[in-house]
Amino acid sequence: MIQLDYFLLLSAFMFIVGTIGVLTRRNAIVVFMSIELMLNSANLTFVAYSSFFGDVVGQLFVFFVMAVAAAEVAVGLAIIIAIFRNKLTVNIDEINILKW
Amino acid sequence: MDSTAINNFNSDLAVSLSAFWSYFPIVFLAGVILISIAIEMYSKSSKKILPWFTVTALLACAYYSLLTVTDTGVYFSGMFATGGLTNIFNFIFTFGGAIVVLLSVDYIKKSGIYYGEFYILLQSAVLGMMMIAGAKDMIMIFIGLEQMSITFYVMAGLNRKRASSNEAALKYFLLGAFATGFIVYGIGLMYGTAGTLNIDFVFSNIFAAEKNLPGIIGILLFLVGFSFKIGAVPFHMWVPDVYQGAPTSSTALMATGGKVAAFTALILAFRPVLGTETLAVITPVLAVFALLSMFYGSIVAIAQTDIKRMLAYSSIANAGYMLIGLAAGNDYGIEGVVYYLAAYSFMNLGAFGIVALIESADEKNLLISDYNGLGTKYPVLAALLSLFMFALSGIPPFAGFFGKYYIFIAAIESNLTWLAIAGVIASVISVYFYLRIVVLMYFGKGESQVTPEITNASLIGIVISALLVIVMGVFPGSVINLISNF
């Protein structure tokens, strides 16, 4: 039986990596991947606590997060494709008609 | 699961199903979305049918919500609440949604997004807001928030040939999803410390727990995520870009319904712990966010030349005022925030409605200088816009004044007098940029260059918003009484 703390530390680490990725990377798709990493770190937290408590609610939440993340991927990739057709780039530094 | 648990579940389900008429609006709206999709698929004249279908359905929901406002209850294993504040919020969302439809009927034709899907997306966003309003569990808040946000990302980028619309959608999407990451991880830590996701217990359990550091970090992450969604400084950077780049009628919905829904989630989450010691961790954070938002929004708005950007900064400042009510952390504060949310929605719907009317094809006529001399050429439009600007700047007897008044009183009640004084100073600063437009319309030199086509649908929507702003301002007591009953 692995202790709960290890799961929590791993998920915190994943969350921080995701956050740093969003803040530093300039490619929209990589930023998006980092966001997915953040969502998955939350999933890991839920599953760890859920199995620690023997309570099913946390695992239930994970299913909802995964479904929502899938919907977000569909919309997000569509938006990125639309912007690529217009500007031929997905670098968020070059997407700057509106003042950032 | 043992047999008693199954029996409990079954009896709860039976109670929930027999209370069908209490949560009817949300089921009804979900049905309306499916029917609208069918209409869009099979009818060639869907673009003409859908707006009126949507308006009728949303107004029916709004009327029904007010009718059943006393019908309080919690259903589906403590997941979903009806009646009381839930219905008041549902009224704001559905009625506001109906006004947005009226404003968009002609706008979407001239701005190149003449699709029936616009109305389906609008209905889905309103459904998500209603799910937040009824939430009794973090799961419901999360699902409702995402339902709303994901439709907003699409609505922001609906004009896919226009680069500014695309850019708004991308920025909204990346930062919105980033905020969602914070919210989900925060909820995860809260769940681990509290052992439950039920809103009534989650905060009090966290503060009662022994090792509650993860839970408190969770609450702060939850707050940060929602500060993104309400557009409070220092998480406001997406607001001006998205409000400017998105089609004006989408912006009208995001600026009103979207912001109200995010505040609804905060109100619902903090309501069970009002007046207890547990709020001591959260109050300073909220107060600082409020202070920064009010001043940043009011001061930067002065420098804007684009009217949609100016309204975006004004909405940042308004998020600050409403955060004061939350930071006050007493019942007066909550009542004031709910009142101000309603007032703010209708003021902004009217203002964005007029901006959408004045705007011509290809995003022209969006500068503040385009409103020069409007008072002599289009007296009705100028008068209505002046009314909304007076209301937004908080001049009595309009609704905006009493919203701010109740919130500042609540702040003084809970010993946050310095915050109330800062709020008054920020509102005084904001008078400058609101009234600048009024001055320009009536006393600006030169002829007005805009030639808006004033259509009945938009005018009805704007006039209804104006009437609500006046009525709420003249009879603030009855609205507050309605809110304070719950």
Side-chain angles (χ1 to χ4, degrees), chain B residues 49 80 166 210 224 263 274 326 437:
Chain B
I49 302 170
F80 196 77
N166 279 333
E210 269 185 22
V224 167
F263 261 103
L274 282 187
L326 279 184
I437 296 181

Side-chain angles (χ1 to χ4, degrees), chain B residues 418-447:
Chain B
W418 62 274
L419 199 57
I421 293 172
V424 173
I425 297 173
S427 347
V428 172
I429 298 174
S430 70
V431 170
Y432 173 75
F433 64 83
Y434 290 126
L435 294 199
R436 187 175 53 161
I437 296 181
V438 178
V439 171
L440 203 61
M441 283 193 303
Y442 285 105
F443 306 109
K445 292 192 173 57
E447 277 285 294

Side-chain angles (χ1 to χ4, degrees), chain B residues 100-299:
Chain B
V100 173
V101 175
L102 288 177
L103 302 178
S104 357
V105 175
D106 298 291
Y107 175 81
I108 62 173
K109 274 185 214 163
K110 70 179 172 196
S111 64
I113 47 169
Y114 193 33
Y115 312 120
E117 286 90 340
F118 179 85
Y119 302 104
I120 303 173
L121 291 168
L122 189 145
Q123 292 163 6
S124 318
V126 172
L127 181 69
M129 297 170 198
M130 288 170 77
M131 281 159 74
I132 298 178
K136 266 285 164 194
D137 197 285
M138 289 293 176
I139 297 182
M140 285 300 295
I141 289 194
F142 172 68
I143 298 170
L145 187 75
E146 283 310 293
Q147 162 123 27
M148 178 187 87
S149 302
I150 292 177
T151 37
F152 276 169
Y153 306 148
V154 183
M155 284 176 84
L158 206 55
N159 196 336
R160 60 178 190 276
K161 296 199 183 74
R162 191 187 284 168
S164 62
S165 181
N166 279 333
E167 186 178 328
L170 184 74
K171 284 177 178 171
Y172 197 10
F173 167 71
L174 288 179
L175 289 174
F178 189 44
T180 301
F182 278 96
I183 292 171
V184 179
Y185 191 64
I187 294 177
L189 291 178
M190 277 149 70
Y191 168 67
T193 313
T196 173
L197 284 172
N198 191 310
I199 288 179
D200 286 339
F201 305 112
V202 66
F203 284 107
S204 42
N205 277 14
I206 287 173
F207 288 101
E210 269 185 22
K211 284 197 284 180
N212 61 4
L213 184 66
I216 290 176
I217 295 174
I219 293 177
L220 292 178
L221 287 173
F222 183 79
L223 258 184
V224 167
F226 271 99
S227 305
F228 263 107
K229 300 278 180 188
I230 62 177
V233 178
F235 308 105
H236 64 282
M237 30 326 181
W238 60 273
V239 178
D241 290 349
V242 173
Y243 283 17
Q244 185 189 3
T248 308
S249 50
S250 308
T251 310
L253 190 65
M254 285 170 208
T256 58
K259 187 167 280 205
V260 177
F263 261 103
T264 307
L266 284 179
I267 290 172
L268 292 176
F270 292 132
R271 205 153 171 251
V273 288
L274 282 187
T276 56
E277 290 293 306
T278 51
L279 268 183
V281 185
I282 309 162
T283 308
V285 182
L286 288 177
V288 169
F289 285 180
L291 189 72
L292 290 175
S293 311
M294 287 185 306
F295 279 99
Y296 183 85
S298 303
I299 292 170

Side-chain angles (χ1 to χ4, degrees), chain A:
Chain A
M1 181 73 188
I2 311 172
Q3 275 189 341
L4 178 66
D5 291 358
Y6 293 113
F7 290 106
L8 296 183
L9 285 176
L10 176 62
S11 74
F13 176 71
M14 275 166 69
F15 184 79
I16 292 167
V17 169
T19 313
I20 293 173
V22 173
L23 295 177
T24 57
R25 301 307 293 265
R26 301 275 63 117
N27 184 314
I29 300 210
V30 180
V31 171
F32 189 30
M33 278 161 56
S34 307
I35 291 170
E36 291 298 309
L37 196 62
M38 290 167 71
L39 290 180
N40 281 322
S41 79
N43 283 352
L44 185 61
T45 315
F46 272 113
V47 172
Y49 276 128
S50 180
S51 88
F52 179 70
F53 292 146
D55 176 29
V56 78
V57 173
Q59 293 178 35
L60 207 85
F61 202 109
V62 171
F63 277 105
F64 283 111
V65 174
M66 291 195 308
V68 163
E72 239 170 25
V73 169
V75 169
L77 290 182
I79 290 173
I80 293 175
I81 289 174
I83 208 156
F84 184 76
R85 284 195 183 137
N86 258 328
K87 305 206 62 161
L88 297 179
T89 176
V90 289
N91 185 325
I92 52 178
D93 282 337
E94 289 169 40
I95 299 167
N96 56 3
I97 319 170
L98 305 166
K99 283 168 271 175
W100 178 242

